[in-house]
Amino acid sequence: MSAGQIHNPVLPGFHPDPSIARAGDHYYLATSTFEWFPGVPLHRSADLVNWELIGHALDRTELIDLRGVPDSGGVWAPSLSYSDGQWWLIYSIVRTVGAPYKDVDNYLVTAPDIEGPWSEPVFLNSSGFDPSLFHDEDGRKWLVNLQWDHRAGRQAFAGIVLQEYDARKQTLVGQPCNILRHDELIEGPNLYRRDGWYYLMLAEGGTGWNHGVLMARSRRLTGPYAFDPNGSLLTTRDDPDGPLRKAGHGELVETPDGEWFLAHLASRPVDTPDGPRCILGRETCLQRVGWTDDGWLRLVGGGNKPLTEVAAPRGTPHPVPEPAARDDFGSLALDPSWNTLRVPLGPARLTLAERPGWLRLRGRQSSHSAFQQSLVAKRLRSVRCEATTVLDFHPTHFSQMAGLICWYDTTTHFYLRVTHEEGRGRVLGIDLTDDGSYQELTSSAVPVDDWPLIHLRARFQGAELRFSASPDGTAWQRIGPVLDAGKLSDDYGTRLRFTGAFVGVCAQDLGGTSAPADFDWFELRDV
């Protein structure tokens, strides 16, 4: 009996670099979070069809310190595994993005239960990113990661490095060994053992339109490894019109019945006058795979293109509750679907208790800061959606602002905010930061001093973004022009970008007086 159809992406919105593992009858997915806190969301499923967010692995500052990390730095490519009766999670923290350097530290944490508590981090190495842990049949454990080479004239992606990990001593032992090099860009290594072969699953071609999954194998752990003669197991580089693009970075999981599935990332582009743009970032998908008689892995059904509809594994469906569209802030803790930038917001900056039924944010640094922002946001899961909130805010100085923000990173975001202007009182307007260039749309400013509450709305329709506002939630008026939501994507700008679009609420107080902004509720729904 099949549990039905897997609808890709299984994790819509910004969920890149999926790592999948099974323990008993349940499957778990961990994904990258970059500069967002908490780090590494954990999703659970009993059928590979229905997934629920159960929390985050890196939910304490002892596990990740992201203060000052650059946009698209932070937590890269976690690797989740289950062995010896416990969970193992490997992750990178990248503090320098771009060339020539990648200042990166790789860590290991463990937990007896997927929901924690997770151990204090064990430092592993800093030689490169995308580490993963391989548990061999003899009980030994091995770390593999990309070797980064900063030197001029050299291949920066300098091969895959293997080194043994001693779990008792909690340290790497022996000397690292470079087990595979390739003229093409390869990263994201994961080791598997089957029928006397060691298999390396690799991400190839970078994270953009040329992305793919490539396999290599060897009879010996240390190599030599031979690449799959058929080339890419999965790619969309030759499918410019497919619904899923940028497919790559894969991991394998086997069901209790011996069926195999590949978790991978992909993006769903939106057409814009400037070309396709992936506003939702890189999302998590699943494909059926199987082993050939000569021991290579292939997509079930043939070819190497990802499918949007995939037959689920045998078993009974296990539906899970749909995430609530509206948050009335009736709890004393934020729902785990909310995220903050780089650091958690303690009760001095974010509270649900001071005004019950309201979220109170106390203003901190600007939207350009990589240190201390008062911002909470949710992943955009659809490019046809509407975000609405209600704001009670009484600024007394132009340095105090609060409102609704549509976010890619500190260099690119659209902000519908309330502030104070001398002689006018409260004013509602739009601030834009476009690839680092700041602009205020003063012609769109609206006086709102006599509004009892300020209802704010952002509506996404493909690559078009429209802001509106209302004093009562009934009579809405457009604020500003139609904005280019395609800029909230990896495919825009002059900097390396690896995340996805968010929408949320924030407050700033550049004078350091911590002015409070209260939000009655927040709703994000498809339209």
Side-chain angles (χ1 to χ4, degrees):
M1 175 183 177
S2 171
Q5 289 288 109
I6 294 170
H7 306 285
N8 283 319
V10 294
L11 301 183
F14 164 58
H15 292 102
D17 311 322
S19 179
I20 192 166
R22 178 176 64 86
D25 295 329
H26 283 84
Y27 306 89
Y28 300 87
L29 278 168
T31 51
S32 294
T33 40
F34 293 85
E35 66 264 34
W36 290 94
F37 187 94
V40 186
L42 299 169
H43 287 81
R44 177 175 59 202
S45 174
D47 55 15
L48 294 181
V49 175
N50 303 286
W51 293 86
E52 61 177 334
L53 177 64
I54 59 172
H56 294 74
L58 308 181
D59 58 0
R60 311 190 312 271
T61 54
E62 297 88 350
L63 301 177
I64 49 170
D65 179 3
L66 302 180
R67 289 172 297 178
V69 301
D71 294 326
S72 291
V75 179
W76 286 20
S79 177
L80 182 69
S81 58
Y82 185 78
S83 181
D84 307 321
Q86 68 175 356
W87 289 96
W88 308 70
L89 181 72
I90 307 280
Y91 60 98
S92 301
I93 296 183
V94 179
R95 302 192 182 278
T96 304
V97 175
Y101 299 109
K102 289 282 191 296
D103 292 304
V104 52
D105 294 325
N106 295 319
Y107 296 96
L108 164 69
V109 291
T110 59
D113 185 270
I114 190 69
E115 297 186 50
W118 291 86
S119 68
E120 294 301 304
V122 174
F123 172 76
L124 298 172
N125 65 22
S126 299
S127 58
F129 47 87
D130 288 0
S132 68
L133 192 64
F134 170 58
H135 308 271
D136 207 346
E137 295 172 356
D138 60 4
R140 297 171 76 181
K141 302 183 185 303
W142 301 85
L143 184 77
V144 284
N145 62 267
L146 167 78
Q147 172 75 62
W148 183 260
D149 191 338
H150 70 274
R151 295 175 294 177
R154 305 295 182 102
Q155 167 67 279
F157 292 77
I160 306 303
V161 175
L162 172 80
Q163 191 172 4
E164 187 171 3
Y165 177 72
D166 187 320
R168 185 178 60 83
K169 296 179 179 179
Q170 294 189 319
T171 187
L172 294 172
V173 295
Q175 292 299 310
C177 173
N178 198 316
I179 59 174
L180 183 66
R181 297 177 183 268
H182 191 35
D183 292 337
E184 178 62 87
L185 187 159
I186 56 171
E187 54 190 327
N190 286 280
L191 271 167
Y192 304 92
R193 188 171 182 179
R194 183 178 183 273
D195 292 344
W197 289 100
Y198 288 96
Y199 290 89
L200 261 176
M201 178 169 279
L202 304 157
E204 62 165 339
T207 60
W209 308 107
N210 195 45
H211 206 21
V213 175
L214 182 65
M215 298 284 284
R217 71 181 184 185
S218 171
R219 289 293 188 185
R220 298 174 60 244
L221 177 63
T222 55
Y225 283 82
F227 288 105
D228 186 338
N230 277 20
S232 301
L233 167 68
L234 177 82
T235 186
T236 53
R237 66 175 66 97
D238 301 319
D239 188 19
D241 300 318
L244 300 174
R245 301 288 308 280
K246 301 183 179 179
H249 199 110
E251 281 200 20
L252 291 174
V253 69
E254 185 180 11
T255 73
D257 292 333
E259 300 174 277
W260 288 85
F261 286 83
L262 171 72
H264 67 93
L265 64 79
S267 295
R268 294 177 290 168
V270 173
D271 289 329
T272 78
D274 298 311
R277 297 253 174 92
C278 301
I279 299 168
L280 302 179
R282 296 171 295 154
E283 308 173 284
T284 290
C285 302
L286 293 170
Q287 306 296 327
R288 270 188 173 269
V289 289
W291 298 93
T292 63
D293 292 340
D294 60 352
W296 287 108
L297 195 65
R298 299 286 180 258
L299 295 183
V300 170
N304 59 6
K305 305 296 186 292
L307 302 176
T308 56
E309 299 292 321
V310 175
R314 293 184 292 271
T316 303
H318 291 271
V320 299
E322 281 290 320
R326 177 161 164 155
D327 192 334
D328 287 307
F329 302 127
S331 172
L332 291 180
L334 274 182
D335 184 85
S337 61
W338 287 100
N339 308 266
T340 62
L341 280 169
R342 294 175 174 82
V343 295
L345 296 180
R349 298 299 178 182
L350 181 156
T351 176
L352 294 159
E354 286 186 12
R355 187 177 180 182
W358 294 71
L359 167 68
R360 172 165 290 175
L361 290 177
R362 293 191 178 275
R364 290 201 295 184
Q365 294 176 348
S366 77
S367 62
H368 293 191
S369 173
F371 291 88
Q372 294 183 331
Q373 287 205 44
S374 291
L375 180 153
V376 289
K378 291 174 176 273
R379 290 165 173 80
L380 219 62
R381 293 161 50 92
S382 166
V383 293
R384 299 195 179 276
C385 66
E386 195 171 75
T388 308
T389 193
V390 180
L391 172 65
D392 188 5
F393 179 52
H394 299 274
T396 58
H397 195 269
F398 68 83
S399 60
Q400 299 167 346
M401 295 160 279
L404 180 67
I405 197 160
C406 298
W407 184 270
Y408 185 85
D409 62 15
T410 64
T411 73
T412 305
H413 49 267
F414 305 132
Y415 188 16
L416 179 63
R417 89 292 181 267
V418 175
T419 188
H420 175 87
E421 285 189 10
E422 299 89 336
R424 299 182 71 189
R426 290 190 303 170
V427 174
L428 173 65
I430 298 174
D431 290 350
L432 305 180
T433 299
D434 185 346
D435 197 23
S437 177
Y438 175 76
Q439 181 183 5
E440 298 173 11
L441 301 187
T442 54
S443 61
S444 302
V446 176
V448 293
D449 220 22
D450 59 345
W451 290 20
L453 295 173
I454 302 169
H455 295 69
L456 304 173
R457 176 169 289 168
R459 186 181 181 95
F460 288 85
Q461 292 178 292
E464 295 183 346
L465 170 61
R466 293 171 174 83
F467 282 132
S468 58
S470 169
D472 56 12
T474 301
W476 290 88
Q477 64 183 90
R478 279 275 305 278
I479 308 295
V482 176
L483 301 169
D484 182 1
K487 294 180 177 181
L488 305 176
S489 77
D490 295 352
D491 313 297
Y492 178 74
T494 57
R495 301 164 175 84
L496 287 174
R497 295 157 68 122
F498 299 129
T499 55
F502 283 69
V503 61
V505 295
C506 59
Q508 295 80 32
D509 188 336
L510 309 183
T513 60
S514 302
D518 292 345
F519 298 87
D520 189 11
W521 49 265
F522 180 93
E523 182 179 77
L524 178 59
R525 64 180 183 89
D526 292 346
V527 296

